[in-house]
Amino acid sequence: MRQNNKLLIILTMVLLISSVCGVFVAGDEAPKWGGTIVINIDSDPTTFCPVLVQTDEDNLPHQNIFNALVRMNKNLEPIPDLAKSWEISSDMLTYTFYLYENVTWHDGEALTSADVKYTFDLYKEMELPMSGSFEAIESIETPDDYTVVFHLAHPSAPLMATGFAFWRGNKIMPKHLYEGTDIFDNPYNLAPVGSGPFKIEEWVKGSHIIYVRNENYFMKDKPYLDRIIMRIAPVTEAVTVAFEAGEYSTVSVSPDDIDRMAAITGVTVEESVSGSGSCLYVGINRENEYLSNLKVRQAIAHAIDKEEFIDLALAGQAKPSISFLSSELGWAFNPNVPQYEASTETAELLLDEAEYPRGADGVRFSLRILTMTSEDWVLMAQILAAQLGEVGIEVEVMPLEWATLFDKFAVDYDFDLLLMGHGTGPDPDRLFGRFLSTEIIPGTWQYMRYNNSIVDELWQASRLASDLDERQAIFWEIQEIILTDLPMIPLYENIGFFAYWDEWHDLYKGGFGSLDLWDGVWTDEGSDNPPRVALAAISAADAEINAKGEEDYIIVDALDKLEEAEDAYAEGEYDLAISLAETSETLVEPPESDEPTKPDYTMYYVGAAVVIIALAIFYYQKRT
Amino acid sequence: MSLKKYIIKRILEMIPLLFGIILINFLILHAAPGDPLSYLTSTGEDVSPEYRAVLMSRYGLDKPLHIQFILYLGQIVRGNLGVSYRWNQPVLQIILERAPATLLLMGTSFILSVIIGVLLGIRASLKAYSLGDNVIMSFSLIGYSIPVFWYALMMIILFSLYLGWLPTQGMQTLIEDYTGFAHTLDVLKHLVLPVSTISIASIAGYARLTRASMLEVLRKDFITTAWSKGISSRRVYFQHAFKNAILPVITVIGLNMGFLLTGATLTESVFGWPGLGRLMLESIYTRDYPLLMGNMIIVSTLVVISTLITDLLYSYFDPRVVLK
């Protein structure tokens, strides 16, 4: 269940999340206001505190409550969030951000440069999950309330992508609520006060989180939605069925379900192209007596038929990968790395050369492949085992629950092969923890213990490079080296899919898909007018009616109607609220006078008409 | 021995028992591979050694194991179940938040399955090997062996997707803001599918147990005597036979009662029910030791108490049983 699917979910989510971006073509339709979107999340967040967020459980739930300086568009370029503009000095040592001036926290306090400085100072003063990403920052200046200047100790090419504009760790903290407190123990971690487009109305652990629109959001007439509901339920088939039954607005879809979902009227299935660079691969323990031999690793690479693997395990819905970087990363991805075409002959030849001949039972030697316990991962491992079995390598599949698995491969290094995945996010630098020799510490992700001083040096150089072409050349070389050394064998680039009911628009448009502000999401069911206009109409009508009331006009009916308008507003029916408010003004009746009212002759006219018609019919029928 | 003395004696006996439970659970949990920080890496993120040190010392996991145990025991004695690693909130508070939903689900299933199961069992035993008996027993065999996950999905597809009668996720409709009676009705609607999923197996269990026990008693000499005295069949069945046949059923009921707060992990997962079963499963994955320990202590205590109640009930139903 939860943990079982973990990595796949994670990867799909990150993809989903991160990437959907490119897929949507902004329509010409004008957005509408109001509505509630219902989505599913796998389990409860553990914290909403921006600097403590580390897991996927926390990533999504804290997004819409806070703002960062900048966010990512679908081309993975930074766009304004709190910062309306910014400058980076030519030596890449000074970053200056100019903030919007009308931003307030949900409690009404103004958000200023002091909050920004406070947030990023925390990374220097304390050990926090993202401290490493901001390590280049030496000092922060706040010349005025709406300007922040970061001074760097050395140039840092990935700082924008994996720091300021990343999907976590970049959100600004409310200084007035955190300063001087124990950050780990602050009650606002679980009842957050942010600046974002939504705030939390209710969180019932294990059940749901309800977000409501921040009426004082600094972007005019945003967000469009009134509410976001995240129902907390483990991702099982039941969630997919619940989506079909209308209980969710959108869900992620496994490859097997794509055709079935796409066939449902009113449902669209979208591919979420991976902007986060999520790849699956086989990690190799080169301390193993067989795997230390490069020929054996090459043989394994040849023995794996990626196309067949993808067809069998993923209903064909993935892209074979050749590098540890995803091709989605554009500039960084090297299409010319050494490739190992699927060929059992080549594999057998290499194994023979390595002098591991087949025994009497046809087996050359045995290995274990570790993986997670969920069905999809076990299936993938079994397919790999079968493919390797064909060339005489006997592989035992060992599925393990996450904490046990991680302990085994990352702490005890007790594995031969590991079916695993990683995502680079917007910059390949995020994989330094997989390949730099300095990161070989038990309990980290450098479980392959890849140790190559050339790669170490190249990687350092890539960080100081200020020019993208220079970085590209470096990362191409790194890929060349690693794909020759083969500490890992790439399998496929993950493609996520999600389904949604057609009433929804502009879902997951940012560079990181759902891990972004949802201020642009809207539904056909919404109103043409924003809540602001409805509120203005109501208060105008209210003023008008009360003014008439002063003049002894009869306003009882008008007030009733106005109340209906207010109810409609509360329900999120903004167009209805406006028309009710307008109607209410017409219901104001002048004071009663003594003049006799004119009798109503309508009924007489109608009666006469009926009689005439009846007579005409009678006459006509009699004639014929 | 008077009843009061007996109860006091049993409660005193609980103390070493609970100590043993705490010790064993503590050792097993800490012996499991991985630690509370493992789940932070599950996204593929690294936990830097420095940050690891910060968290480990906050959790008190940097101390030797025996010191950790003594500190924990001291806490428990003072009635403090500790603070969850995952949420940094008191364990008792988190468990109590989830207890009502769990009791609603488990209690309803428990009561329904006892009543329906026992009635079906009696009905089957009255006309043993008749068509009705065979139908009931066949269905209960199926009910007992059906995989929960599959059954739940089938129910969801039938009642939610095709018929559109019942909701499947969580314990309330969130998109509408129901209050009062409408809210109660809404919760009841959400309760139907998970309760039927949990109950199907236990109804079958109770029915089979009751039937077997009734049939055994009905063969006894004293029943033959009762028949020969010309007592009405209603009295034979319900006063003579049932009171004796119910004893093993009471044992099972008593044992199951202790597990009311454990929740039903699979069912809760499928239906997104906010119960303690899911919470415990998540706590295992996240290695949230205090939360796991706290829940185990509460559940063990309940099991011990319900065993005591079962014993007391037993002596009431069966005068031959002497409390000592």
Side-chain angles (χ1 to χ4, degrees), chain B residues 212-223 240-242 244-246:
Chain B
S213 177
M214 278 292 278
L215 286 183
E216 200 184 312
V217 172
L218 285 171
R219 275 199 297 271
K220 292 266 164 72
D221 290 345
F222 71 92
I223 297 293
H240 293 258
F242 180 68
N244 283 283
I246 200 69

Coordinates of all heavy atoms in Angstrom, one line a residue, chain B residues 212-223 240-242 244-246:
Chain B
A212 N -22.1 -24.8 14.8 CA -21.4 -26.0 15.3 C -21.7 -26.3 16.8 O -22.0 -27.4 17.3 CB -19.9 -25.9 15.1
S213 N -21.6 -25.2 17.6 CA -21.8 -25.3 19.0 C -23.2 -25.7 19.3 O -23.4 -26.5 20.2 CB -21.4 -23.9 19.6 OG -21.6 -23.9 21.0
M214 N -24.2 -25.1 18.6 CA -25.6 -25.5 18.9 C -25.8 -27.0 18.6 O -26.4 -27.7 19.4 CB -26.5 -24.7 18.0 CG -26.9 -23.3 18.4 SD -27.9 -23.2 19.9 CE -29.5 -23.5 19.2
L215 N -25.3 -27.4 17.4 CA -25.5 -28.8 17.1 C -24.9 -29.8 18.1 O -25.5 -30.8 18.4 CB -24.8 -29.1 15.7 CG -25.6 -28.5 14.5 CD1 -24.9 -28.9 13.2 CD2 -27.0 -29.0 14.5
E216 N -23.7 -29.3 18.6 CA -23.1 -30.2 19.6 C -24.0 -30.3 20.9 O -24.2 -31.4 21.4 CB -21.7 -29.6 20.0 CG -20.8 -30.6 20.6 CD -19.5 -29.9 21.0 OE1 -18.9 -29.2 20.2 OE2 -19.1 -30.1 22.2
V217 N -24.5 -29.1 21.3 CA -25.3 -29.1 22.5 C -26.6 -29.9 22.3 O -27.1 -30.6 23.2 CB -25.6 -27.6 23.0 CG1 -26.6 -27.6 24.1 CG2 -24.3 -27.0 23.4
L218 N -27.2 -29.7 21.1 CA -28.5 -30.3 20.9 C -28.4 -31.8 20.9 O -29.4 -32.5 21.0 CB -29.0 -29.9 19.5 CG -29.6 -28.4 19.5 CD1 -29.9 -28.0 18.1 CD2 -30.8 -28.3 20.3
R219 N -27.2 -32.4 20.8 CA -27.0 -33.8 20.9 C -26.9 -34.3 22.3 O -26.9 -35.5 22.5 CB -25.7 -34.2 20.1 CG -26.0 -34.4 18.6 CD -24.9 -35.3 18.0 NE -23.6 -34.6 18.1 CZ -23.1 -33.7 17.2 NH1 -23.8 -33.5 16.1 NH2 -21.9 -33.2 17.3
K220 N -26.8 -33.4 23.2 CA -26.5 -33.8 24.6 C -27.7 -34.4 25.3 O -28.9 -34.2 24.9 CB -26.1 -32.5 25.5 CG -24.7 -31.9 25.1 CD -23.6 -32.5 26.0 CE -22.3 -32.2 25.4 NZ -21.8 -30.8 25.5
D221 N -27.5 -35.2 26.3 CA -28.6 -35.9 27.0 C -29.6 -35.0 27.6 O -30.8 -35.3 27.6 CB -28.0 -36.8 28.1 CG -27.2 -37.9 27.5 OD1 -27.4 -38.2 26.3 OD2 -26.4 -38.6 28.3
F222 N -29.1 -33.8 28.2 CA -30.1 -33.0 28.9 C -31.1 -32.4 27.9 O -32.2 -32.0 28.3 CB -29.4 -31.9 29.8 CG -28.7 -30.8 29.0 CD1 -29.5 -29.7 28.7 CD2 -27.4 -30.9 28.6 CE1 -28.8 -28.6 28.0 CE2 -26.8 -29.9 27.9 CZ -27.5 -28.7 27.6
I223 N -30.7 -32.3 26.7 CA -31.7 -31.8 25.7 C -32.7 -32.9 25.4 O -33.9 -32.6 25.3 CB -30.9 -31.4 24.4 CG1 -30.0 -30.3 24.6 CG2 -31.9 -31.0 23.3 CD1 -30.6 -28.9 25.0
H240 N -32.4 -23.9 27.0 CA -31.6 -25.0 27.3 C -30.3 -25.0 26.4 O -29.2 -25.0 26.9 CB -32.3 -26.3 27.3 CG -33.4 -26.4 28.4 ND1 -33.2 -27.1 29.5 CD2 -34.6 -25.8 28.5 CE1 -34.3 -27.0 30.3 NE2 -35.2 -26.2 29.7
A241 N -30.6 -25.1 25.1 CA -29.5 -25.3 24.2 C -28.7 -24.0 24.1 O -27.4 -24.0 24.2 CB -30.0 -25.7 22.9
F242 N -29.3 -22.9 23.8 CA -28.6 -21.7 23.4 C -27.7 -21.2 24.5 O -26.5 -20.8 24.3 CB -29.6 -20.6 23.0 CG -28.9 -19.3 22.6 CD1 -28.2 -19.2 21.4 CD2 -29.0 -18.2 23.4 CE1 -27.5 -18.1 21.1 CE2 -28.3 -17.0 23.1 CZ -27.6 -17.0 21.9
N244 N -26.1 -22.8 26.6 CA -24.9 -23.6 26.7 C -24.0 -23.4 25.4 O -22.8 -23.4 25.5 CB -25.2 -25.0 26.9 CG -25.6 -25.3 28.3 OD1 -24.8 -25.4 29.2 ND2 -26.9 -25.4 28.5
A245 N -24.7 -23.3 24.3 CA -24.0 -23.2 23.0 C -23.3 -21.9 22.9 O -22.3 -21.8 22.1 CB -25.0 -23.4 21.9
I246 N -23.7 -20.9 23.6 CA -23.2 -19.5 23.3 C -21.8 -19.4 24.0 O -21.1 -18.5 23.6 CB -24.2 -18.5 23.9 CG1 -23.9 -17.1 23.3 CG2 -24.1 -18.4 25.4 CD1 -24.2 -17.0 21.8

